[in-house]
Amino acid sequence: MIKPIAIYLPQFHPISENDSWWGKGFTEWTNVVKSKPRFEGHYQPHLPADLGFYDLRLKESRLQQEQIAKEFGIHGFCYYHYWFNGKRLLYEPLDRKLKNADEDLPFMMCWANENWTRTWDGSENKILLSQEYSFEDDLNHIQHLISYFKDDRYIKVDGKPVFIIYRPKFFPNIEETIKIWRDEVKKAGFPDLYIGFSQNHEHDYHPKLKGFDFAFQFQPDFQTRSKKNVFNMSVLKKIKRRLMKYMGLKLEKDQYHYDYFEYVQKQIELNFSKDVYPGITPMWDNSARRKIDPFILHNSTPEKYKYWLSHIKNNYTWKEMPESFLFINAWNEWAEGNHLEPCEKWSTSYLEATKEILN
């Protein structure tokens, strides 16, 4: 049985850091409600339907999310985890879940190990909070994580807690970091760690080469491959005019919008990779979050999503993996126009599509 894992953003509650950086009471909803269409036919803003503008500090909101996820066959959530040398951010939703036995949906964690910058207003070079890597911090970090791993709801593979790194390229020595983590997890009584990373154009290698057990396809990958070419967003910014005709990329008022179904077709052309779980996105549009150079997958529909999902179900080599995870990006990335949660336009249609194909 395929186990859909929906990536979960815990940004929807105020914290003192965001108050300082963006203004009192800022949450992801602040960006969402300000968004406007940037070209004719552009679906913006993405506004929540069934769950409303929730606050993730409230158990009632989290319980509603889990109820809907279970109703439509989502196996578990993958929570983004924010750690900066012992300083944590956006931890309250998951920490409060751990204290409430009624929130019983399985979960895993993905360390979003990036610097925090002013990306949302176009000032990507202005760092608000930086990542500093060291083996001492690796040790402190894994010892903190073990308390989550011990929870019965934490997703494990053959008894091994699943943990994911978002961008491993930033580590000075990821192999040694993984070794430290494996040793500590074993000391805590687990058989090992089942560790992976989000695979995209900047991390396009076999997981075992860096000491990982697996990767998963992070969608959208912002790349389109042919036999001779790999194009990512940084390339497109430099040579966008020359590639527009070749890739079918449409440019309007300096904003990228790329047809969702054409993107799906190009992804289907790619072969699945060994030890890499499949990934999918129902839609993508980060123009609510990015004022400059957003990337928009235009004209997504539940039927097109079903078509892609059916291809994955029928063609991925499920029996070659120790588990049957399918990573869906995302459950609630509202400011990236990327969500399974019901919206005013589509209601529960994407959730219904997921259940229909996978169950």
Side-chain angles (χ1 to χ4, degrees):
M1 181 177 177
I2 297 172
K3 295 180 177 179
I5 305 295
I7 297 175
Y8 184 101
L9 180 70
Q11 174 73 281
F12 300 92
H13 64 93
I15 59 174
S16 59
E17 291 83 0
N18 277 338
D19 285 349
S20 173
W21 295 331
W22 306 103
K24 190 72 173 175
F26 175 89
T27 73
E28 195 82 343
W29 297 125
T30 309
N31 286 329
V32 170
V33 298
K34 289 180 179 178
S35 186
K36 291 179 171 47
R38 301 204 185 188
F39 52 87
E40 185 176 353
H42 183 201
Y43 169 34
Q44 280 292 354
H46 287 233
L47 299 176
D50 302 38
L51 296 174
F53 295 99
Y54 50 71
D55 183 326
L56 289 180
R57 295 173 298 185
L58 301 177
K59 68 178 181 181
E60 291 83 1
S61 295
R62 301 191 305 272
L63 282 167
Q64 279 186 295
Q65 287 180 316
E66 294 199 359
Q67 179 183 356
I68 291 175
K70 286 185 279 190
E71 179 183 351
F72 289 98
I74 302 302
H75 177 72
F77 289 154
C78 178
Y79 286 77
Y80 278 129
H81 163 66
Y82 301 90
W83 170 277
F84 299 84
N85 302 100
K87 179 178 178 62
R88 297 189 298 151
L89 296 179
L90 303 175
Y91 54 84
E92 286 202 46
L94 184 52
D95 281 12
R96 294 189 184 204
K97 170 186 170 75
L98 262 61
K99 296 176 182 178
N100 183 10
D102 292 336
E103 297 174 50
D104 57 0
L105 190 76
F107 72 98
M108 62 176 69
M109 297 166 74
C110 173
W111 181 16
N113 62 311
E114 298 175 300
N115 294 333
W116 273 33
T117 68
R118 295 193 69 91
T119 301
W120 295 340
D121 64 4
S123 306
E124 296 185 49
N125 294 326
K126 184 171 182 180
I127 295 176
L128 301 171
L129 200 57
S130 63
Q131 294 283 0
E132 303 292 338
Y133 297 95
S134 70
F135 297 142
E136 179 182 6
D137 184 64
D138 292 337
L139 183 60
N140 293 334
H141 193 183
I142 196 63
Q143 289 173 346
H144 168 74
L145 289 168
I146 285 170
S147 63
Y148 296 87
F149 297 165
K150 289 181 177 179
D151 192 281
D152 290 340
R153 293 162 289 183
Y154 199 93
I155 297 172
K156 302 172 180 72
V157 174
D158 298 327
K160 306 170 189 176
V162 181
F163 187 60
I164 295 170
I165 302 297
Y166 183 52
R167 300 184 76 181
K169 76 171 190 176
F170 292 146
F171 286 79
N173 188 339
I174 187 62
E175 294 93 336
E176 183 61 26
T177 294
I178 291 173
K179 181 180 182 303
I180 291 170
W181 288 350
R182 290 191 191 278
D183 289 344
E184 288 302 307
V185 165
K186 291 175 185 176
K187 289 178 186 177
F190 297 99
D192 204 339
L193 187 64
Y194 189 61
I195 185 164
F197 66 94
S198 60
Q199 188 178 76
N200 54 26
H201 65 271
E202 70 177 9
H203 303 105
D204 193 11
Y205 49 77
H206 190 277
K208 300 294 175 66
L209 290 176
K210 299 288 185 178
F212 290 96
D213 297 303
F214 74 95
F216 78 91
Q217 295 175 330
F218 188 86
Q219 292 288 359
D221 192 2
F222 301 127
Q223 70 172 349
T224 309
R225 302 183 198 178
S226 69
K227 292 182 179 179
K228 296 181 180 180
N229 299 292
V230 176
F231 299 121
N232 59 46
M233 283 305 294
S234 62
V235 174
L236 290 175
K237 289 177 183 179
K238 296 176 183 177
I239 55 175
K240 58 189 177 185
R241 298 289 179 187
R242 182 155 49 92
L243 293 176
M244 279 172 60
K245 184 176 180 180
Y246 174 78
M247 295 181 63
L249 193 65
K250 301 173 184 177
L251 191 68
E252 186 164 338
K253 296 182 180 178
D254 295 323
Q255 309 301 335
Y256 293 102
H257 60 281
Y258 188 57
D259 184 77
Y260 177 86
F261 193 65
E262 288 186 26
Y263 178 85
V264 168
Q265 295 280 39
K266 292 179 184 295
Q267 293 302 308
I268 286 175
E269 291 173 5
L270 305 178
N271 293 323
F272 295 109
S273 301
K274 182 176 173 57
D275 295 318
V276 180
Y277 289 105
I280 191 170
T281 184
M283 53 188 123
W284 179 277
D285 177 355
N286 62 7
S287 60
R289 182 181 288 176
R290 281 185 173 267
K291 294 182 179 180
I292 298 172
D293 290 329
F295 188 81
I296 301 162
L297 288 179
H298 186 45
N299 282 331
S300 169
T301 67
E303 290 300 319
K304 296 171 186 176
Y305 168 71
K306 280 170 60 176
Y307 174 80
W308 189 5
L309 195 59
S310 295
H311 169 79
I312 294 171
K313 175 186 176 181
N314 295 327
N315 292 279
Y316 183 72
T317 51
W318 299 104
K319 292 182 180 180
E320 294 182 5
M321 298 294 282
E323 259 298 355
S324 55
F325 297 138
L326 167 62
F327 287 86
I328 304 176
N329 188 29
W331 176 257
N332 63 339
E333 281 275 14
W334 284 92
E336 290 183 341
N338 176 25
H339 48 85
L340 284 175
E341 284 183 337
C343 65
E344 287 189 354
K345 179 176 182 178
W346 295 111
S347 185
T348 59
S349 295
Y350 284 91
L351 285 164
E352 292 167 15
T354 304
K355 183 176 183 179
E356 177 184 340
I357 299 301
L358 299 185
N359 296 316

